Amino acid sequence: METADLIIRSATPADTAELIALHAEAWRYSYRGVIPWQALEGMIARWRPVPGPGTFVLCFDGKLAGYASFGSERGGRRGEIYELYLSPAYQGTGLGRELFQAARQMLTTARLTGLVVWSLRENQAACQFYRAMGGKGRLSGRQRLGGRDIPMIGFEW
């Protein structure tokens, strides 16, 4: 019986091209019909990863399958996962849970107590995932994207 190779590690500059491609694929999958097309494509074109200890990549069988970026909460004292995305081919496999737990453990190690993750409310898959991970949707906000106010939900742990 063969076993799959799963590695979660800090992103390096050598991962940049694969991260940009993965980001574009994941965002188009997650936000098509949620964020206006022109705004979405503009956001994808401008996005650049920040390799280092605040960005993890998840490699599955030698292929980059996901990434998470995290650090101190913007405007607060807790930890925050800023982004957590998997290639659509790996969604629903349990790899997102592994990546989430690794990022959360790193934040705990950095002595950031508590955790917050923001999601667009219309991204039902993400909201369902964070609820399954134990998050409580207690915060709300809005983000203006492509001339549209899009409701957000903040999950707390």
Side-chain angles (χ1 to χ4, degrees), residues 31-110:
Y31 300 122
R32 180 171 288 132
V34 175
I35 298 173
W37 177 83
Q38 192 169 16
L40 176 61
E41 289 301 316
M43 292 167 72
I44 289 169
R46 289 187 299 277
W47 186 87
R48 293 295 174 264
V50 181
T55 302
F56 279 171
V57 292
L58 182 145
C59 301
F60 186 73
D61 278 348
K63 181 176 173 18
L64 192 90
Y67 74 93
S69 64
F70 50 89
S72 297
E73 178 185 15
R74 295 168 272 202
R77 296 185 192 138
R78 297 177 287 189
E80 182 175 350
I81 296 176
Y82 311 127
E83 292 187 89
L84 191 149
Y85 291 97
L86 291 177
S87 168
Y90 295 101
Q91 291 186 16
T93 64
L95 294 178
R97 179 178 299 273
E98 296 289 331
L99 188 55
F100 177 89
Q101 291 172 336
R104 188 168 186 194
Q105 180 59 49
M106 183 60 84
L107 292 167
T108 299
T109 300

Side-chain angles (χ1 to χ4, degrees), residues 1-16:
M1 179 168 125
E2 287 187 39
T3 58
D5 185 28
L6 171 66
I7 297 170
I8 297 174
R9 61 170 172 77
S10 293
T12 69
D15 297 315
T16 300

